[in-house]
């Protein structure tokens, strides 16, 4: 379903359309929030907050291609606000078993799925060790697939900065992963 | 001639060390384009030549390629089976703002770090009351004060400690149960608190020595 007619239905107050909209974007919103916060429970609360905010501001949601970047932008802003509030208490980076389960692909066999979970967990942990800007560029560009200009607008930095930082961020991440044994 | 100079790799490293230095920095600058397939053939061949002899750069390029494969798979994560319902409930016009989210409150309660301590405390209070409260010691036990006096003193100290812990945890429990209290019938909480306080007062009175 294209976002434009779906959004139009949501704006008209169609509850089924709103449910479809939530189901369509919840994985992205929760995924991004999870990599920012590193805590499943916080990410769930934030993702819920984001959808409430969207619901209260349906008139502001852009149509078509602008929809996902807009949603990711408010998700990112909600995460940054949350991390600022959380600064007082130390983050818990360790993942519990059910948090790992969140990252599992359903289509793999048990052994391959387990290895894949281990690899994804390594990436998730390595991401937490990057500098803030590098981590955000990886989250928005490599993970969420946003364009350089969209990222520059979200992070409020020049496009050139995103471009030049992108390779450095990937290298920094790869160095952490190589040090942790990936690629060895 | 020493043994080192017979090893061609050692010789290469020795020459590089005395001329350009190790080319790893240059190799790393090209690594992203190499993994993305953006290098021209000649440059890619030069880099491959370096990777064949440099374990560190080789591991880095493999990690870069592996992370490039994994990163897009992290775009979405499953927020759990109840997430959609939670959102729909929060955004439904019928139920918006109608009372607290009891499930979320309960989940928060269970995740609190003091929950184990509080459960243990409640268990201990229940145990103490089971042991001491309903039993009028002086009427059941013959006046063998040689052993009942130290026992009473000890029990009194324990009861004092329980009362002090009760005062401390009552505040904590009030905080813990606040969201649930709001969701429960009015007055139930206050009645339960008054009852426990009454029990503890009777316990203290029962354990007070006859001649202070
Ligand atoms: Zn090298």
């Amino acid at each position: 379903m294209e976002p434009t007619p779906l959004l139009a239905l949501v704006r008209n107050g169609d509850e089924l359309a709103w449910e479809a909209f939530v189901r369509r974007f919840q994985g992205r919103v929760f995924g991004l929030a999870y990599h920012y916060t590193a805590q499943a429970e916080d990410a769930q609360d934030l993702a819920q907050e984001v959808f409430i905010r969207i619901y209260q501001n349906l008139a502001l949601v852009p149509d078509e291609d602008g929809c996902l970047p807009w949603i990711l932008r408010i998700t990112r802003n909600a995460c940054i606000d949350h991390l600022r509030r959380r600064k007082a208490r130390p983050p818990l980076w360790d993942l519990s078993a059910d948090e790992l389960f969140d990252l599992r692909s359903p289509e793999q066999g048990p052994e391959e799925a387990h290895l894949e979970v281990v690899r994804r967990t390594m990436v998730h942990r390595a991401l937490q060790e990057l500098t803030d800007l590098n981590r955000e560029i990886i989250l928005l560009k490599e993970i969420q697939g946003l364009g350089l200009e969209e990222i520059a607008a979200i992070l409020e930095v020049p496009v050139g900065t995103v471009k030049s930082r992108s390779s450095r961020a990937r290298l920094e991440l790869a160095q952490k992963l190589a040090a942790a044994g990936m690629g060895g | 001639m020493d043994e080192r100079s017979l090893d061609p790799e050692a010789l290469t490293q020795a020459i590089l060390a005395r001329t350009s230095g190790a080319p790893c920095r240059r190799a790393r600058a090209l690594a992203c384009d190499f993994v993305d397939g953006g290098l021209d053939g000649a440059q890619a061949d030069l880099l491959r030549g370096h990777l064949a002899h440099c374990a560190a750069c080789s591991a880095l390029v493999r990690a870069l390629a592996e992370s490039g494969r994994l990163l897009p798979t992290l775009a979405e994560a499953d927020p759990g089976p109840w997430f959609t319902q939670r959102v729909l409930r929060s955004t439904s016009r019928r139920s918006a703002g109608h009372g607290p989210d009891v499930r979320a409150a309960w989940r928060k309660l269970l995740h609190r770090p003091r929950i184990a301590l509080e459960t243990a405390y409640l268990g201990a209070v229940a145990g103490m009351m089971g042991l001491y409260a309903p039993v009028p010691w002086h009427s059941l036990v013959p006046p063998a004060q040689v052993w009942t006096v130290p026992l009473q003193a000890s029990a009194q100290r324990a009861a004092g400690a329980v009362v002090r812990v009760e005062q401390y945890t009552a505040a904590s429990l009030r905080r813990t149960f606040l969201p649930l209290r709001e969701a429960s019938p009015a007055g139930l909480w206050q009645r339960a608190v008054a009852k426990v306080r009454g029990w503890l007062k009777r316990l203290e009175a029962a354990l007070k020595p006859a001649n202070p």
Side-chain angles (χ1 to χ4, degrees), chain A:
Chain A
M1 207 187 290
E2 290 301 309
T4 311
L6 183 63
L7 249 185
L9 290 171
V10 173
R11 286 190 188 121
N12 281 341
D14 185 329
E15 282 137 343
L16 286 175
W18 172 238
E19 179 182 2
F21 184 93
V22 173
R23 289 191 194 283
R24 180 180 178 145
F25 293 108
Q26 67 182 25
R28 288 294 196 111
V29 171
F30 175 72
L32 185 60
Y34 181 62
H35 292 299
Y36 267 106
T37 62
Q39 289 186 3
E41 201 175 325
D42 288 357
Q44 272 187 347
D45 291 344
L46 277 168
Q48 187 178 357
E49 251 178 63
V50 165
F51 279 105
I52 293 169
R53 227 178 277 179
I54 292 171
Y55 192 76
Q56 290 165 344
N57 295 284
L58 284 171
L60 300 179
V61 183
D63 292 332
E64 298 177 24
D65 295 344
C67 185
L68 178 63
W70 186 84
I71 290 172
L72 294 177
R73 178 189 206 141
I74 62 164
T75 305
R76 181 260 176 189
N77 290 343
C79 291
I80 295 294
D81 287 346
H82 170 80
L83 291 174
R84 271 192 204 123
R85 286 197 302 269
R86 200 176 74 175
K87 242 180 185 168
R89 59 193 168 106
L92 302 166
W93 300 131
D94 277 342
L95 294 174
S96 65
D98 57 338
E99 282 173 310
L100 285 175
F101 186 78
D102 290 340
L103 298 172
R104 186 178 298 170
S105 296
E107 69 275 9
Q108 292 164 321
E111 266 182 40
E112 184 47 37
H114 177 72
L115 281 174
E116 193 70 355
V117 166
V118 170
R119 290 187 207 111
R120 288 178 189 187
T121 306
M122 283 172 80
V123 174
H124 175 82
R125 284 196 177 142
L127 277 171
Q128 314 306 326
E129 293 171 12
L130 299 187
T131 56
D132 286 349
L133 183 56
N134 284 358
R135 184 161 65 113
E136 291 212 70
I137 287 173
I138 295 274
L139 288 179
L140 299 173
K141 183 168 177 287
E142 310 302 329
I143 296 185
Q144 296 297 336
L146 295 183
L148 295 176
E149 282 173 12
E150 287 163 336
I151 298 168
I154 290 173
L155 300 181
E156 295 172 347
V157 295
V159 176
T161 304
V162 180
K163 208 171 177 180
S164 65
R165 277 286 188 137
S166 171
S167 294
R168 253 192 281 169
R170 284 169 69 193
L171 275 177
E172 193 190 350
L173 179 69
Q175 266 160 350
K176 306 263 181 221
L177 291 171
M182 188 183 279

Side-chain angles (χ1 to χ4, degrees), chain B residues 13 22-28 47 50-51 53-58:
Chain B
Q13 295 305 325
C24 294
R25 182 191 279 257
R26 172 78 182 138
R28 283 165 199 216
L47 183 54
H50 175 70
L51 296 179
H53 296 284
C54 180
C57 287
S58 181

Side-chain angles (χ1 to χ4, degrees), chain B residues 110-128:
Chain B
L110 290 179
H111 279 82
R112 292 178 70 254
R114 282 197 297 271
I115 190 69
L117 180 69
E118 287 158 1
T119 310
Y121 163 68
L122 287 174
V125 169
M128 292 288 286

